[in-house]
Structure formats: C-alpha cells, structure tokens
Amino acid sequence: MAGPTRHIAVAVLGALALAGGPALAASLDGDMALGDPKAKVQVIEYASVTCTHCAAFNRDVFPAFRKKYIDTGKVHYVLREVPTPPAQVAAAGFLTARCAGKDKYFAVVDAMFRELPVWIESGDALASVVRAGAAGGLSEAQVKACIVDQKGLDAMHARVSKTLEEGKIEGTPTFVINGKTVKVGEMTLAELDAAIAQASKR
C-alpha cells in the first residue's frame, strides 16, 4: 500500500528511536476512548494496528480488561495511534476506523488486529483493511476513498506529531496509567490489576 503516508512513517520511526521522556497529556484533541471519562483511573495505550504485541494484547487481555474495568466505569481507557511499520498499513487502518465514526472506531481497530496475521501471510494488506472497514459498516469504495482522503491524512499527521512532541514513546504497546508510564510491552491482566489498584489509592 503505497501512498501519501510517508510523512507519518518518517515521524514515527524517528520518534521510536529516541529514549523515553515525560508521560503525555491526559487528554489530547482527537483521542478515542471508552468508559467513564470521570473514572478515577485513566489507562492510555499507545498502540499500532500493525504491532504484533498490540494485537496479542487485544486478543488475549483486552476483552477481560474491558469487562472488568471499562464497562464497569472503573477505568477511562484511551487508545492513541502510533503507526508503526509498515506505517502506511497502520495509517490506513486507523484512518478507516475514524471514517467509521466514534461508535464503530473500536470495532474496526479490533478487526484490524485480528486481520494482522492474515495480511502478513497473504501480503494483501488492502483486502484486510477493507474487511476491517466492513466491521464498521463501510463499503470497499468508502474504505478506498477514506485512506487517500487528504483531510484525514493531514489530521492523522497532526495527531501523531502532537503525541510525539509531548513525550517519547519507546515502543508499542506502551501503557500510561494516571500519567505514569507503567510498561512498554504487553501487559497481563494481573499486571493491570496491580497497576490499577495502585493508581486507585492515589
């Protein structure tokens, strides 16, 4: 999938090569979130839909985490997009999720994670993006229009740039809980339990 996402790829690859820095803001324009925004605990995950570790977390841990903490109003969960190689595929996935709308955003992201081993095996990333878009109610034509829409690309570039300006992300996934970077890499439910319990005491 070639196209106008090279500026996103360059920005992300450069930032991921840097050492860690301060945690990012609790709220940024364009954040996609689940759960009660007034919850005592905020969990921010910096992730990419082309990241195998992020996909594993989404498959193995996130459903139980969501049921236990997000759906019960105990945690406000925020996903921040950090497109990683191949960044043009990640950008296409995130753009498609946003074109599906806030109500369907996470359904498309979930579908992209589930499609990751499929397109790695087949080499046909576009087909996987189209199938993920269908999970959000988008037609193939709508997906193809979405991923080349300059306004959407510019907005994504601005979001990614803002994220990388405010703090350095060493890798994906990165988990920040109540403003503190807790772990770079997959978290188990037990690790999340411990970190959330600690954050709840503050």
Side-chain angles (χ1 to χ4, degrees), residues 36-42 73-76 178 199-202:
D36 184 356
K38 296 181 180 179
K40 188 173 183 180
V41 177
Q42 181 194 57
K74 296 176 182 176
V75 162
H76 183 230
N178 283 5
S200 298
K201 295 176 183 178
R202 296 172 189 155

Side-chain angles (χ1 to χ4, degrees), residues 4-61:
T5 55
R6 183 176 178 276
H7 56 305
I8 296 174
V10 170
V12 172
L13 291 172
L16 290 178
L18 298 175
L24 303 191
S27 178
L28 291 176
D29 288 342
D31 274 348
M32 290 304 221
L34 294 168
D36 184 356
K38 296 181 180 179
K40 188 173 183 180
V41 177
Q42 181 194 57
V43 176
I44 303 175
E45 179 186 1
Y46 297 88
S48 174
V49 290
T50 55
C51 159
T52 56
H53 293 289
C54 303
F57 173 79
N58 179 76
R59 180 190 67 233
D60 299 333
V61 180

Side-chain angles (χ1 to χ4, degrees), residues 18-184:
L18 298 175
L24 303 191
S27 178
L28 291 176
D29 288 342
D31 274 348
M32 290 304 221
L34 294 168
D36 184 356
K38 296 181 180 179
K40 188 173 183 180
V41 177
Q42 181 194 57
V43 176
I44 303 175
E45 179 186 1
Y46 297 88
S48 174
V49 290
T50 55
C51 159
T52 56
H53 293 289
C54 303
F57 173 79
N58 179 76
R59 180 190 67 233
D60 299 333
V61 180
F62 188 78
F65 165 67
R66 179 171 182 169
K67 182 178 180 180
K68 186 173 184 178
Y69 291 108
I70 299 172
D71 294 346
T72 57
K74 296 176 182 176
V75 162
H76 183 230
Y77 169 81
V78 177
L79 175 64
R80 291 205 178 134
E81 303 159 352
V82 183
T84 55
Q88 61 268 40
V89 178
F94 284 131
L95 287 167
T96 299
R98 287 183 178 267
C99 283
K102 287 187 176 182
D103 290 344
K104 297 291 187 179
Y105 174 87
F106 284 98
V108 175
V109 167
D110 176 67
M112 277 298 300
F113 280 134
R114 295 179 187 280
E115 284 285 337
L116 193 152
V118 178
W119 65 259
I120 287 177
E121 177 70 22
S122 70
D124 192 350
L126 179 58
S128 284
V129 175
V130 168
R131 284 192 292 270
L138 299 176
S139 68
E140 180 175 349
Q142 287 174 316
V143 170
K144 289 181 176 178
C146 175
I147 63 179
V148 296
D149 177 67
Q150 193 59 49
K151 184 177 179 181
L153 286 163
D154 290 344
M156 168 164 279
H157 183 241
R159 284 193 304 274
V160 173
S161 296
K162 183 67 172 176
T163 294
L164 302 178
E165 282 170 10
E166 297 212 1
K168 305 301 184 294
I169 304 301
E170 294 181 31
T172 56
T174 291
F175 293 90
V176 174
I177 299 180
N178 283 5
K180 179 182 178 181
T181 300
V182 174
K183 187 174 182 180
V184 179

